[in-house]
Amino acid sequence: RLTRDFSQMVRSLADDRRRRDEAEASLFAEKERAQVTLASIGDAVITTDVSGRVGFLNSVAEQMTGWTSAEATDKPLDEIFRIINETSRVALENPVEVVLRTGVIVGMANHTVLVRRDGSELNIEDSAAPIRDRSGTIIGVVLVFHDVTKAHEMAKQMGWAATHDSLTGLHNRAEFERRLQALIELTGAGKRAPNSAVCPTSRTTSSSSASRCWAPITPTTRTSSSWSGATATSSSARKPP
């Protein structure tokens, strides 16, 4: 009986070990499939843990950042993924930090520039999403981005061509008229200045009445001379034929 019990215990231990080995093999295969999937994506992909440290870069991300996955692993994302605003040159907030703080998918603002390891720059568009376990707890973040430098340059060229003459390089007529109209609206052209004189005129001048011109009165010149009236006498008035 002792021998039989011992044999059952050995078989039980062997079964447990077999099930554990199968589970480990299944987990390893699942991890391999996930890595192959990420590596096969045409966009750049970076994964991080909940502390914002890099866990994986696919080949596209390696080319765009200048870091290999082995070099970047366990480094803070800010060191690998440096982004700035193209216009202001101000450093932008790391999207992974936003995801970890809010728990939602976020996208980058326009005019985002990635500063590569060698100092060169790329215009990019990207988004970041949380990685959750079965219970819904965030266990990391996946960052996906792609290079839009060529599209950005083409948009600039098209914008320049729409407002400039290709031969002279000067503003074309459409842009000139647009700027002129904006200047007119800004300066309020066509409106009488508030301090301009008001001089009513008529086609005919009667000998008994006179046309007068009133000038604006300012506080510093409120005197009898401020009333400037010019009276045309009957002797100087031209009589109609």
Side-chain angles (χ1 to χ4, degrees):
R1 181 178 178 180
L2 181 61
T3 302
R4 185 175 63 252
D5 292 342
F6 180 77
S7 298
Q8 289 178 352
M9 183 178 66
V10 170
R11 286 196 298 270
S12 178
L13 290 174
D15 290 341
D16 289 342
R17 182 173 182 178
R18 179 178 54 81
R19 285 193 294 268
R20 186 172 62 251
D21 291 343
E22 290 176 353
E24 290 178 353
S26 177
L27 181 61
F28 180 79
E30 184 177 353
K31 181 178 179 181
E32 283 294 305
R33 284 195 297 269
Q35 294 284 26
V36 170
T37 301
L38 293 176
S40 302
I41 294 176
D43 289 341
V45 178
I46 300 177
T47 61
T48 72
D49 58 16
V50 291
S51 63
R53 293 189 172 274
V54 174
F56 169 78
L57 276 74
N58 70 351
S59 59
V60 181
E62 289 179 335
Q63 294 173 6
M64 291 184 64
T65 62
W67 292 83
T68 66
S69 184
E71 293 173 330
T73 299
D74 291 331
K75 290 184 180 296
L77 182 63
D78 287 336
E79 185 176 341
I80 309 301
F81 187 74
R82 296 172 52 207
I83 52 176
I84 62 174
N85 180 275
E86 181 183 20
T87 305
S88 66
R89 312 300 295 177
V90 175
L92 298 177
E93 185 177 16
N94 192 316
V96 170
E97 295 178 357
V98 179
V99 171
L100 292 174
R101 184 172 66 249
T102 62
V104 299
I105 299 174
V106 299
M108 289 302 303
N110 294 330
H111 307 292
T112 299
V113 171
L114 170 67
V115 182
R116 305 176 70 236
R117 187 178 186 178
D118 60 4
S120 58
E121 299 178 355
L122 297 173
N123 292 93
I124 63 169
E125 291 180 353
D126 72 341
S127 63
I131 302 174
R132 301 179 184 272
D133 59 15
R134 292 182 178 180
S135 64
T137 303
I138 295 177
I139 59 175
V141 177
V142 58
L143 178 66
V144 181
F145 56 98
H146 59 278
D147 185 2
V148 295
T149 302
K150 291 183 179 180
H152 194 73
E153 290 298 326
M154 185 177 295
K156 282 185 176 181
Q157 293 175 6
M158 292 178 65
W160 187 90
T163 58
H164 291 75
D165 180 79
S166 59
L167 181 62
T168 64
L170 302 176
H171 289 298
N172 58 23
R173 179 174 179 177
E175 178 65 9
F176 173 77
E177 291 179 348
R178 186 190 68 80
R179 294 196 175 195
L180 180 61
Q181 182 62 31
L183 182 62
I184 290 174
E185 294 176 356
L186 180 64
T187 58
K191 297 179 181 179
R192 188 176 63 241
N195 289 332
S196 60
V198 180
C199 300
T201 58
S202 61
R203 290 181 179 271
T204 60
T205 304
S206 172
S207 59
S208 60
S209 63
S211 61
R212 295 189 176 185
C213 178
W214 292 271
I217 300 175
T218 59
T220 57
T221 60
R222 189 178 297 274
T223 63
S224 60
S225 61
S226 297
W227 174 275
S228 56
T231 304
T233 62
S234 60
S235 59
S236 60
R238 177 177 296 179
K239 296 181 180 181

